[in-house]
Amino acid sequence: LVFQTPCWSRFIYLAISCILRPKKGIFVRFFTVKMCDQSSEAEVLPQGHQNEESENPSHPPSNVEAEAAAATVGQMEPCADDWNEITAQFFDCVKDLKLGELVHDSTFGLLEAMSAIEMMDPKMDAGMSCNREATPLTFDTAVETGQIKLNNLLAKESIGIIDAVYSCTVSWLEGHSMAQTVLTCLYLHKPNRIECKTMRSFSIAIQKIINLIRNFIIRANVYEEEDFQHSSFDYNLSEEVTETKAMNMLKAAEEELIKKTKDTEDEREREELQALLARVRFTRLLLHSLVGMYPLKQGNWRYGQEVAAQTAVPLKTEMIDIVKSLNGALELAQAIEKTIELGTQPVEGSDAPNPMGFSMMVNQRLLPPTFPRSTKIKDRQLSIQYLTELIQRIKHACKIANCTSYHAALNFLMDFNKKFTPCLLSRSIPQTLYLPAGRLVFGVKPLIEVLKESVRAFIAPPALRPDNPLYNNPFAINCINSFFEYHEQTFYSLFAICGYNRARQRDHLGLLLLNFAHLQDGAERVDVYLHSLTPRSENSRHLACFGTWVFYHCLRAMSFYLLAGLELELYSVHEYLYIFWYLYQYLFSWIVSALTRAETFLAEQEYAADPKAAKASQKKPKSKKRKTKTDVKEILFNEAMEMLCGGYYKALVGFYKEDRIPEPLPLFDNEQVRFEHRFAPFANLSTPPPMPYSEFRQMKFIMIQSPATELYAAAAKHFHEARMLLETFPNPDEEWHDIVKVAKTNYVMMNLLASGHSRQSKQPPEFDFSCHRYFPIIKQRK
């Protein structure tokens, strides 16, 4: 540590205290620092200074003395020639401390230790220059000194710059600051001064891409601080240039490169020009795709459904063009990955992603005076692979345009997060596509109308059927509209939660379950009121229709909350017992009950609407078959989940019976506290009622009376039933195959344990989540 004149010119360090812990006690040493004024020089002497080998530790000065000394020195300025180097003394003082060890002193406790900083560290002052770059290179200084070219760039130089910019863009998408990634490229600061047509068009286009990405993410608003930093640091990102003009400039640059490629005879130069052409074309297709998705055309629902439908029709046509552009960009990304070595490569040991055109400290003064994140620009090969995967995810995200119902869109987002583990941009695009303007689905239809259609498709309440008298009843209409207007935000939040990262989804779900308590109460009141309005002569009664629909969505949120804890590895192994017990005994069985009740009510409604047709033919209408097929698949899947959780529950009870699962010491653990903490978000719900710890303890006591072999055999039966249920349905998806594999493997293991395998072993079982993120494969070693 060498004191130099810092940018904090008037900040004076009175003394430096180093704490060490020798064998005989704790000593505090004070080192003298000379201070000088413009007219005279004064020396601040230490108080209580002792030799290092002294037996009695010196005491620090009192607060009064310290304040007096600080007031005296506060009028002085440091003399640049009288700084003392204390590096050797400092390390000599702390040599007895181990890594991570702190010394507790009455004047230096944990709060001071957490607040301590490394003095003179450039991270603490955004204006302090780094030793490796005393004067940050700006665009103007780089042009004056000839360190960047504005014209006559070689093809390999342009390739190196473009690849480096995309590496910075990927680093920015991963959560780093724009000032430390993309905006370190000097060509993006003043693109209009670039004379090279290719580099000028690329610089403007990449600014438009960055701005579009930023708008997507901000508009979706499903990001957290660790996901994204949206500040553009007052860079205008070529606001005066439209996206269409930027694409035309890229098109002109492509034509110029094609002409140069035809005119050149050198094989190496032709290869470099073709690689550069691929990058320019990739940029144009990517920009065209983002422009096509944002913003969407918006209709006006007030002019009727026909106008809205006509406005929504071009959306699917535009999506076809967008997917074509993404397919073209995907092919070009693969070509770019093969030609990375043709461009200039970063200098070994340098932080800059390219030798020319970048200055890592150019935006240092724009950063806040805090510890900035350590920014390491992503490798070029990995960046292109990231972009390739991003394009594939965006292609799949465009399929949300086919999800006309709320239920289908919600399932799409859940499956999308499970399959792809998407980045923030690919999570934000479906949110923006489905709800681009406020609460208008596809910018056309109010969310309230979509929610009504969702209830009608799920259970078809009599008040929402055109052939029912309540459909035109003004009191019923006002009651239903008030219910959806008041609780629209809850369903909007439920949809938005699917766009957050996996960890934040669980946090937000825990808070949203508080709103479901009010939602259930409102649905119950609506059902009671609508039932009171139903004439007694009507065969169909309005009982628990809205309540069943709300109950179903609440149960899905609860089950996802518990399963997300398994995925995030939040539970200890000894907590698996009551997690799978809750899922098996209550949540999945209630979901099956809600779906079955909705299906039965739909059949009753159709029978009541047309009793003659129902008696004349035992066959159901085709439309009913299509509707039932979807319901049967969902019921079947949830029944399989119920059996699967039952297998885990009984297997875990067997492990407890044989003392194979280590539990925490009773002195440091309380099972009831852990139980109530895990299920705390369910406490405010009235339906389903929260299960108390006493009930779990009673069930556990009854189950543990059975022999372990019977418990393992029962678990094997549950796994077998889950497998049979999943294998009976045709055309299963990838997740079904994974769950079937888990059920098969666990079925074999439970049969082995039931037959006496590893009976004498007390080794704890292993739970392998590599095959499925929710349901582990149970392994038992001898």
Side-chain angles (χ1 to χ4, degrees):
L1 300 174
V2 181
F3 283 115
Q4 297 175 351
T5 304
C7 62
W8 301 334
S9 58
R10 298 193 61 84
F11 194 94
I12 298 176
Y13 296 98
L14 177 62
I16 300 176
S17 62
C18 296
I19 304 175
L20 68 154
R21 186 180 61 179
K23 296 181 180 179
K24 297 185 179 180
I26 298 176
F27 289 79
V28 181
R29 292 192 60 195
F30 293 91
F31 296 90
T32 62
V33 181
K34 294 183 178 180
M35 302 294 176
C36 63
D37 200 351
Q38 295 180 354
S39 57
S40 61
E41 183 174 338
E43 182 175 348
V44 180
L45 297 178
Q47 295 190 14
H49 175 69
Q50 273 190 317
N51 197 346
E52 199 169 288
E53 292 78 9
S54 177
E55 294 291 337
N56 298 320
S58 59
H59 298 281
S62 63
N63 294 336
V64 178
E65 294 171 340
E67 292 176 1
T72 304
V73 182
Q75 300 176 356
M76 304 178 183
E77 293 186 358
C79 181
D81 298 332
D82 292 329
W83 294 99
N84 296 330
E85 181 179 356
I86 61 168
T87 306
Q89 295 92 327
F90 176 80
F91 285 107
D92 183 64
C93 292
V94 299
K95 65 182 179 181
D96 291 336
L97 295 178
K98 297 179 181 179
L99 182 63
E101 189 177 19
L102 294 175
V103 175
H104 179 73
D105 185 76
S106 59
T107 60
F108 191 83
L110 181 61
L111 179 61
E112 289 78 13
M114 296 298 292
S115 305
I117 63 171
E118 182 183 349
M119 291 184 294
M120 308 303 297
D121 193 320
K123 293 192 297 294
M124 291 305 299
D125 186 5
M128 177 172 275
S129 300
C130 184
N131 294 334
R132 287 172 292 179
E133 192 175 349
T135 303
L137 191 67
T138 64
F139 180 88
D140 295 328
T141 56
V143 172
E144 293 174 1
T145 56
Q147 298 187 46
I148 64 171
K149 295 181 180 180
L150 299 181
N151 200 0
N152 299 324
L153 275 80
L154 301 177
K156 64 178 183 179
E157 293 174 338
S158 298
I159 292 172
I161 294 170
I162 292 175
D163 288 348
V165 169
Y166 275 120
S167 298
C168 293
T169 303
V170 171
S171 301
W172 171 58
L173 284 174
E174 290 188 336
H176 292 289
S177 171
M178 189 186 295
Q180 294 177 291
T181 53
V182 184
L183 296 179
T184 59
C185 180
L186 300 178
Y187 285 101
L188 300 183
H189 291 195
K190 297 181 180 180
N192 292 325
R193 290 184 54 185
I194 304 174
E195 300 175 14
C196 176
K197 182 182 293 186
T198 301
M199 189 51 59
R200 181 173 70 252
S201 60
F202 170 78
S203 300
I204 293 176
I206 204 69
Q207 285 186 337
K208 308 311 293 183
I209 289 174
I210 290 170
N211 194 42
L212 280 169
I213 292 174
R214 181 173 172 269
N215 289 340
F216 264 115
I217 294 174
I218 292 176
R219 192 160 193 170
N221 195 26
V222 291
Y223 64 92
E224 298 290 343
E225 182 183 3
E226 68 270 17
D227 291 328
F228 183 68
Q229 297 188 36
H230 60 83
S231 176
S232 61
F233 297 92
D234 291 334
Y235 282 88
N236 65 354
L237 301 178
S238 297
E239 293 180 353
E240 69 282 357
V241 181
T242 63
E243 286 81 3
T244 304
K245 184 177 180 180
M247 287 187 284
N248 292 335
M249 293 173 66
L250 288 172
K251 189 67 176 177
E254 287 181 43
E255 295 174 355
E256 182 179 312
L257 289 173
I258 293 174
K259 184 178 180 181
K260 287 184 179 179
T261 304
K262 293 179 180 179
D263 295 341
T264 185
E265 298 179 357
D266 184 77
E267 188 65 25
R268 176 72 177 184
E269 185 179 356
R270 182 182 293 109
E271 187 179 1
E272 291 176 352
L273 288 172
Q274 289 175 349
L276 180 58
L277 177 62
R279 284 158 173 79
V280 175
R281 189 169 292 165
F282 171 83
T283 305
R284 180 175 61 83
L285 292 176
L286 181 60
L287 178 58
H288 177 264
S289 303
L290 295 176
V291 169
M293 288 184 288
Y294 182 93
L296 297 176
K297 291 183 178 180
Q298 301 175 14
N300 196 329
W301 184 254
R302 291 179 299 176
Y303 294 117
Q305 297 184 8
E306 296 181 358
V307 176
Q310 293 174 1
T311 310
V313 168
L315 177 62
K316 296 182 179 179
T317 307
E318 291 174 0
M319 281 299 173
I320 295 174
D321 295 336
I322 291 170
V323 172
K324 287 181 179 179
S325 298
L326 291 172
N327 286 330
L330 190 61
E331 295 177 0
L332 290 170
Q334 298 170 356
I336 292 172
E337 188 177 357
K338 298 176 182 178
T339 57
I340 291 177
E341 68 279 358
L342 296 180
T344 55
Q345 302 299 316
V347 179
E348 186 177 355
S350 174
D351 294 334
N354 196 67
M356 183 178 69
F358 288 82
S359 175
M360 305 308 293
M361 302 290 292
V362 65
N363 297 312
Q364 189 73 1
R365 287 187 176 274
L366 298 179
L367 299 174
T370 58
F371 290 104
R373 300 181 183 182
S374 177
T375 304
K376 179 69 175 176
I377 304 300
K378 202 173 184 69
D379 179 74
R380 295 185 183 184
Q381 193 83 19
L382 297 176
S383 299
I384 300 302
Q385 293 175 3
Y386 181 97
L387 291 174
T388 302
E389 296 171 358
L390 173 63
I391 292 171
Q392 292 173 341
R393 292 194 295 264
I394 293 175
K395 279 177 55 182
H396 188 81
C398 292
K399 294 181 181 179
I400 198 173
N402 301 323
C403 301
T404 55
S405 68
Y406 177 82
H407 187 73
L410 198 63
N411 288 339
F412 174 85
L413 282 182
M414 289 183 176
D415 294 338
F416 182 63
N417 287 334
K418 292 177 184 177
K419 292 179 181 178
F420 295 98
T421 58
C423 65
L424 178 58
L425 176 60
S426 50
R427 296 198 312 265
S428 300
I429 286 176
Q431 297 279 336
T432 308
L433 290 177
Y434 192 75
L435 292 168
R439 305 297 170 85
L440 295 177
V441 176
F442 298 127
V444 171
K445 197 171 184 179
L447 180 59
I448 291 178
E449 299 297 329
V450 176
L451 292 175
K452 289 180 182 178
E453 292 178 359
S454 176
V455 181
R456 189 182 298 116
F458 181 78
I459 199 171
L464 294 179
R465 293 177 63 91
D467 57 351
N468 192 281
L470 289 180
Y471 186 77
N472 296 318
N473 189 314
F475 298 102
I477 294 174
N478 184 50
C479 176
I480 295 173
N481 289 339
S482 299
F483 169 74
F484 282 110
E485 288 174 2
Y486 186 75
H487 297 289
E488 180 189 17
Q489 178 62 37
T490 302
F491 291 99
Y492 178 84
S493 300
L494 181 62
F495 184 83
I497 283 174
C498 297
Y500 285 93
N501 62 54
R502 305 295 287 174
R504 293 292 185 171
Q505 282 181 7
R506 186 176 183 274
D507 294 340
H508 287 287
L509 269 177
L511 298 175
L512 186 66
L513 286 171
L514 299 175
N515 296 336
F516 268 101
H518 304 291
L519 183 61
Q520 290 173 348
D521 181 65
E524 183 180 354
R525 292 173 182 272
V526 170
D527 286 327
V528 171
Y529 180 73
L530 293 177
H531 180 67
S532 66
L533 295 179
T534 305
R536 294 185 178 181
S537 59
E538 292 291 326
N539 295 325
S540 60
R541 294 181 296 174
H542 203 297
L543 289 176
C545 293
F546 287 92
T548 303
W549 178 66
V550 170
F551 182 59
Y552 165 73
H553 283 288
C554 180
L555 290 172
R556 290 190 69 187
M558 294 169 68
S559 61
F560 180 74
Y561 178 84
L562 293 182
L563 293 173
L566 292 168
E567 180 185 5
L568 298 172
E569 301 179 4
L570 300 180
Y571 310 133
S572 299
V573 175
H574 57 83
E575 295 182 282
Y576 288 172
L577 180 61
Y578 46 76
I579 297 297
F580 284 112
W581 167 78
Y582 209 103
L583 291 167
Y584 164 61
Q585 291 283 0
Y586 302 105
L587 294 186
F588 282 119
S589 61
W590 282 335
I591 291 175
V592 172
S593 176
L595 290 170
T596 305
R597 187 189 186 286
E599 185 182 7
T600 304
F601 193 84
L602 281 172
E604 292 177 354
Q605 290 290 93
E606 291 198 0
Y607 180 84
D610 194 4
K612 294 182 180 180
K615 292 180 180 179
S617 176
Q618 297 296 329
K619 296 183 179 180
K620 297 179 181 179
K622 294 183 179 180
S623 59
K624 177 61 181 175
K625 284 185 178 180
R626 289 196 296 269
K627 177 68 174 66
T628 306
K629 184 177 180 181
T630 305
D631 290 345
V632 167
K633 182 177 180 180
E634 192 168 2
I635 292 173
L636 192 66
F637 182 78
N638 284 282
E639 286 179 347
M641 295 302 99
E642 181 184 356
M643 292 296 103
L644 203 62
C645 293
Y648 285 113
Y649 168 59
K650 294 183 179 179
L652 286 162
V653 175
F655 290 137
Y656 271 101
K657 177 76 174 180
E658 296 184 338
D659 295 327
R660 296 195 184 191
I661 295 182
E663 297 189 63
L665 296 175
L667 180 63
F668 306 104
D669 177 68
N670 188 311
E671 187 179 57
Q672 182 175 356
V673 173
R674 282 191 282 107
F675 181 93
E676 293 174 352
H677 172 70
R678 293 305 182 192
F679 302 110
F682 306 162
N684 294 321
L685 297 173
S686 58
T687 308
M691 294 298 106
Y693 172 73
S694 58
E695 184 167 347
F696 163 72
R697 190 172 181 179
Q698 182 180 2
M699 291 289 294
K700 179 182 176 182
F701 178 77
I702 295 173
M703 289 291 296
I704 212 166
Q705 303 302 318
S706 303
T709 53
E710 292 183 8
L711 292 169
Y712 295 141
K717 183 179 179 181
H718 279 297
F719 286 124
H720 180 68
E721 290 177 355
R723 168 193 168 188
M724 296 300 295
L725 285 170
L726 292 174
E727 288 181 341
T728 55
F729 201 85
N731 302 322
D733 56 16
E734 185 179 353
E735 185 179 10
W736 285 43
H737 285 298
D738 294 338
I739 297 177
V740 167
K741 181 181 177 181
V742 170
K744 285 181 179 179
T745 309
N746 289 340
Y747 169 71
V748 174
M749 176 54 66
M750 291 300 106
N751 278 332
L752 289 174
L753 292 173
S755 63
H757 175 72
S758 303
R759 177 61 57 82
Q760 303 301 325
S761 175
K762 293 299 180 182
Q763 289 289 331
E766 298 179 9
F767 296 89
D768 183 11
F769 288 89
S770 60
C771 186
H772 196 275
R773 62 190 167 278
Y774 297 152
F775 305 112
I777 293 175
I778 302 175
K779 298 179 181 179
Q780 179 64 62
R781 300 186 184 275
K782 293 183 179 180

